[in-house]
Amino acid sequence: MFQVTRRSAMKIAALAAAASSMGQAAFAAEPSILPSWVDGDAKARIIDFVSATTTEGGPDFVEPADRVAVFDNDGTLWGEQPMYVQLAFALDRVKQLAPQHSEWQTTEPFKSVLAGDMAGVAASGERGLIELVAATHAGMSTEEFERIVSDWMESARHPASGKPYTAHIFKPMVELIDYLKSNQFEVFIVSGGGVEFMRPWTERVYGIPPQNVVGSSIKTRYELRDGVPAIMRLPEIDFIDDGLGKPVGINKFIGRRPIAAFGNSDGDFEMLEWTTAGPGRRFGLIVHHDDAEREKAYDRDSHFGRLARGLDEAPARGWTVVSIKDDWKLVYPE
Amino acid sequence: MFQVTRRSAMKIAALAAAASSMGQAAFAAEPSILPSWVDGDAKARIIDFVSATTTEGGPDFVEPADRVAVFDNDGTLWGEQPMYVQLAFALDRVKQLAPQHSEWQTTEPFKSVLAGDMAGVAASGERGLIELVAATHAGMSTEEFERIVSDWMESARHPASGKPYTAHIFKPMVELIDYLKSNQFEVFIVSGGGVEFMRPWTERVYGIPPQNVVGSSIKTRYELRDGVPAIMRLPEIDFIDDGLGKPVGINKFIGRRPIAAFGNSDGDFEMLEWTTAGPGRRFGLIVHHDDAEREKAYDRDSHFGRLARGLDEAPARGWTVVSIKDDWKLVYPE
């Protein structure tokens, strides 16, 4: 994977150098760039930003070392409807483990999970969610958890399409990741999701290696099990990489302020604010879920109302709002 | 920097592919590899490992994506005598800030620091050390701290040599980093030192970018200061990346188990144990400080006795012990 990335980077670095010296026109005229994007304002803004920051000698040129781009995952790189994929994983784990936990028949949030009563699960609140994470994400080694996640991603199916969840990645966004990488941007995922839930498959699905994935985490402990070293997952939250936590996570794991940030909910607001408040040319983008036909039209009334602020302030902050309905020719890979 | 790295990577990837197909002989015969290393057992073991893991079709071949190497910093990549460089930084900060803190004249550990009484500082124990960190490493934004560290690295001088601390990096180890990178290894620093104390200069000095530096950290908080986003450094320990913490830090920040680990103290023991316990070809190396003339002969009697175990168990575990006296032609850059 890395080899391929490296090789393609070599090939494309030359192209990019040539193209960028020609400026935006060269890109706009190049049909192979962002093929799933409608030739509209959003696509033009992306190409203009990349062209400006990669044109040597230009006023907005950014050294490759500083070309850091961060992407949210749920709702930005893949679907988060009807529920976060990681929540679907947790619910399946509860059903799978229930035979060894007869007490779950009478204790929340497990009782509601087993009854398929999502309202009951939600009613158990944050404490219920943490118990759910502890019961389904902890108590095994990191390598055992990686296998559990990989096996589930292979077998689980999206309730609407009957396809694997990885079939619900947003093709236009994956094209955007490749476009940035081909212009010597280093791309990171910065997600509220669990880092060890994402790392087993992000390289295969998005071309983003484990070390470029930042997310929420639980505590772990190094120990010898029968003399064999293992890193055990503990039932204790370590870091929540969401909202105010995203700039903190970016600073902790990446150590550079990005120049481009891509999100879809107000859990991404501070990440976009931190990124675009820096000096020099910056780029912020919000994926606007307004396509009732091909995905789902949900926004202000979802994410516990956490989408309103970013959409309201996007114009004043110069952030690009992408309409799935109008800006994407395709939503999912075919 | 990234551009240079990327470009040299392109060039060398071709060379490496050609050379590795020729096997170890090609490397051993190549004088430009590890020029500051004596042609002895340690150098031969390093070259043999790299040759074996990069020889396509060979029994020990490792995909480039899995070629992760981790290096301790203090005592492995640069000197840690007469004291950790970060401690020298903290002591200088106390002296610099003392005029605004008259109370320090009478309260430990500051009183001892200002009196130059290191025994007194040590006597204040872990609690004193944490107060020292809080007073010197917290209370400012991450960008302000980066400037403070960069300015200090420019102006501070090593007590013995009168040279900048960055003149005390170990040239043979920097050659080793470059050799691994040229063979498509991704190299990370995994240090007990503060991650934000290292990131401002590791790229310039070692060629290792901020996102490839793992270290100890304090908590931070994202906030708006007069409407300007900032990440503030709080006087609270977040993570200690030492001993048992190193495999935890590797898993948290890198998300892959390395195949090669390089250290010098028992603070690196678990990192070497975790790395070399994995399947397939592995490499562990301990830098043995036995050169009284060119550096300092210190080992079992230092690091609070934390060097003994690694040296004792190295032969049985197949770890390579590097004698600075016998294996290095040069210690520092000229």
Side-chain angles (χ1 to χ4, degrees):
Chain A
M1 195 64 197
F2 182 66
Q3 196 169 33
V4 171
T5 309
R6 175 61 59 92
R7 200 180 297 119
S8 56
M10 295 178 203
K11 196 175 77 248
I12 297 165
L15 288 175
S20 65
S21 65
M22 290 181 270
Q24 180 186 352
F27 287 95
E30 174 53 72
S32 75
I33 291 177
L34 305 177
S36 300
W37 290 69
V38 171
D39 286 316
D41 179 58
K43 178 174 179 176
R45 280 162 162 256
I46 293 167
I47 291 172
D48 182 49
F49 167 75
V50 171
S51 171
T53 50
T54 56
T55 300
E56 281 196 58
D60 296 328
F61 178 72
V62 175
E63 288 295 340
D66 294 319
R67 294 179 200 167
V68 172
V70 288
F71 287 77
D72 168 55
N73 185 42
D74 297 305
T76 299
L77 294 182
W78 75 350
E80 60 184 355
Q81 296 292 336
M83 68 174 71
Y84 292 124
V85 178
Q86 192 170 359
L87 179 55
F89 165 78
L91 301 183
D92 282 357
R93 281 286 292 166
V94 168
K95 289 166 193 150
Q96 190 180 19
L97 297 170
Q100 295 114 270
H101 295 274
S102 54
E103 74 279 11
W104 286 356
Q105 301 295 336
T106 53
T107 52
E108 293 294 3
F110 308 102
K111 183 177 171 224
S112 293
V113 171
L114 296 171
D117 169 14
M118 289 311 294
V121 176
S124 70
E126 190 184 340
R127 193 171 163 290
L129 195 66
I130 288 173
E131 279 190 36
L132 212 51
V133 169
T136 57
H137 287 63
M140 71 292 283
S141 75
T142 52
E143 290 175 341
E144 288 161 349
F145 187 70
E146 181 176 353
R147 269 194 302 279
I148 291 167
V149 170
S150 298
D151 293 346
W152 184 82
M153 290 298 288
E154 280 296 313
S155 60
R157 294 295 179 263
H158 189 284
S161 72
K163 294 179 182 172
Y165 284 99
T166 50
H168 291 260
I169 59 173
F170 300 140
K171 187 165 187 291
M173 297 303 285
V174 178
E175 290 174 359
L176 180 49
I177 289 171
D178 293 341
Y179 175 52
L180 290 169
K181 285 165 70 177
S182 73
N183 282 279
Q184 290 176 280
F185 277 75
E186 184 163 4
V187 175
F188 294 83
I189 289 174
V190 177
S191 168
V195 67
E196 298 204 73
F197 178 74
M198 295 181 282
R199 283 174 165 165
W201 50 271
T202 54
E203 185 152 32
R204 177 175 52 83
V205 173
Y206 300 134
I208 296 177
Q211 62 269 36
N212 283 32
V213 179
V214 177
S216 297
S217 58
I218 62 178
K219 291 194 186 296
T220 62
R221 181 179 58 229
Y222 179 76
E223 63 185 44
L224 296 182
R225 288 197 304 175
D226 309 325
V228 180
I231 297 174
M232 299 302 294
R233 294 172 55 80
L234 310 178
E236 191 182 345
I237 298 295
D238 177 41
F239 175 61
I240 300 294
D241 188 50
D242 195 38
L244 293 158
K246 287 203 173 189
V248 167
I250 287 168
N251 179 69
K252 182 198 296 233
F253 288 83
I254 305 173
R256 295 187 196 263
R257 190 195 292 217
I259 64 169
F262 306 82
N264 79 298
S265 88
D266 282 356
D268 305 314
F269 186 89
E270 288 80 6
M271 175 170 81
L272 266 71
E273 179 180 60
W274 171 242
T275 299
T276 57
R281 188 74 179 263
R282 303 277 162 161
F283 194 77
L285 182 147
I286 296 176
V287 176
H288 186 36
H289 294 268
D290 58 358
D291 193 323
E293 235 170 77
R294 299 183 298 177
E295 193 212 11
K296 183 179 176 184
Y298 70 96
D299 267 340
R300 297 170 182 285
D301 57 348
S302 70
H303 284 91
F304 329 103
R306 288 166 70 236
L307 275 162
R309 191 178 174 196
L311 291 172
D312 291 344
E313 299 186 15
R317 291 177 176 267
W319 296 347
T320 298
V321 175
V322 170
S323 160
I324 291 182
K325 182 155 52 70
D326 302 331
D327 290 314
W328 289 357
K329 294 178 189 170
L330 284 175
V331 177
Y332 308 114
E334 265 147 349
Chain B
M1 194 67 198
F2 181 65
Q3 194 169 36
V4 171
T5 309
R6 175 59 58 94
R7 202 182 293 120
S8 56
M10 295 178 203
K11 195 174 79 251
I12 296 165
L15 287 174
S20 65
S21 65
M22 289 182 274
Q24 181 185 354
F27 287 97
E30 175 52 74
S32 74
I33 291 175
L34 306 176
S36 302
W37 290 69
V38 171
D39 286 317
D41 179 58
K43 178 174 177 174
R45 281 161 161 258
I46 293 167
I47 292 172
D48 182 49
F49 168 75
V50 171
S51 171
T53 51
T54 57
T55 300
E56 281 195 59
D60 296 327
F61 179 72
V62 175
E63 288 295 338
D66 293 319
R67 294 178 199 165
V68 172
V70 288
F71 286 77
D72 168 57
N73 184 41
D74 297 305
T76 299
L77 294 181
W78 75 349
E80 60 185 354
Q81 295 293 334
M83 68 174 72
Y84 292 124
V85 178
Q86 192 170 359
L87 179 56
F89 165 78
L91 301 181
D92 282 358
R93 281 287 290 166
V94 168
K95 290 165 193 151
Q96 189 181 18
L97 297 169
Q100 296 114 272
H101 294 275
S102 54
E103 74 279 9
W104 287 356
Q105 301 296 335
T106 54
T107 51
E108 293 294 4
F110 308 103
K111 183 175 170 225
S112 294
V113 171
L114 296 171
D117 169 14
M118 290 309 294
V121 176
S124 70
E126 189 184 343
R127 191 168 165 291
L129 194 66
I130 288 172
E131 278 191 36
L132 213 51
V133 170
T136 58
H137 287 64
M140 72 290 284
S141 75
T142 52
E143 289 175 341
E144 287 161 350
F145 186 69
E146 182 177 353
R147 269 193 302 279
I148 291 167
V149 171
S150 298
D151 293 347
W152 183 83
M153 291 298 289
E154 280 294 312
S155 59
R157 293 294 178 266
H158 190 283
S161 72
K163 294 179 181 172
Y165 284 98
T166 50
H168 292 261
I169 60 173
F170 299 140
K171 187 165 187 293
M173 296 304 286
V174 177
E175 290 175 357
L176 181 50
I177 289 171
D178 293 340
Y179 174 52
L180 290 169
K181 284 165 70 177
S182 72
N183 282 279
Q184 291 176 279
F185 277 75
E186 182 162 5
V187 175
F188 294 84
I189 289 174
V190 177
S191 169
V195 66
E196 297 204 72
F197 178 74
M198 295 182 281
R199 283 174 166 165
W201 52 270
T202 54
E203 184 151 34
R204 176 174 54 82
V205 172
Y206 300 134
I208 296 177
Q211 61 269 35
N212 284 33
V213 179
V214 177
S216 297
S217 58
I218 61 178
K219 291 195 186 295
T220 63
R221 180 178 58 228
Y222 179 77
E223 62 184 47
L224 296 182
R225 290 197 303 174
D226 309 326
V228 180
I231 296 174
M232 299 302 295
R233 293 171 56 78
L234 309 178
E236 191 183 345
I237 300 293
D238 177 39
F239 175 62
I240 300 294
D241 187 50
D242 196 38
L244 292 158
K246 287 201 173 191
V248 168
I250 287 167
N251 180 70
K252 182 198 296 231
F253 287 83
I254 304 174
R256 295 187 196 263
R257 191 195 290 217
I259 63 168
F262 306 82
N264 78 297
S265 87
D266 282 354
D268 305 313
F269 186 90
E270 288 81 6
M271 175 170 81
L272 266 71
E273 180 180 60
W274 171 241
T275 298
T276 57
R281 188 75 179 263
R282 303 276 161 162
F283 194 77
L285 183 148
I286 297 177
V287 176
H288 185 37
H289 294 267
D290 58 358
D291 193 323
E293 234 170 77
R294 298 182 299 177
E295 193 213 11
K296 183 179 176 183
Y298 70 96
D299 266 340
R300 295 169 184 287
D301 57 347
S302 70
H303 284 90
F304 329 102
R306 288 168 67 234
L307 276 162
R309 191 180 174 196
L311 291 171
D312 291 343
E313 299 186 16
R317 291 177 178 266
W319 297 347
T320 298
V321 175
V322 170
S323 160
I324 291 181
K325 181 154 56 65
D326 302 331
D327 289 314
W328 289 357
K329 294 178 188 170
L330 284 175
V331 176
Y332 309 113
E334 268 146 347

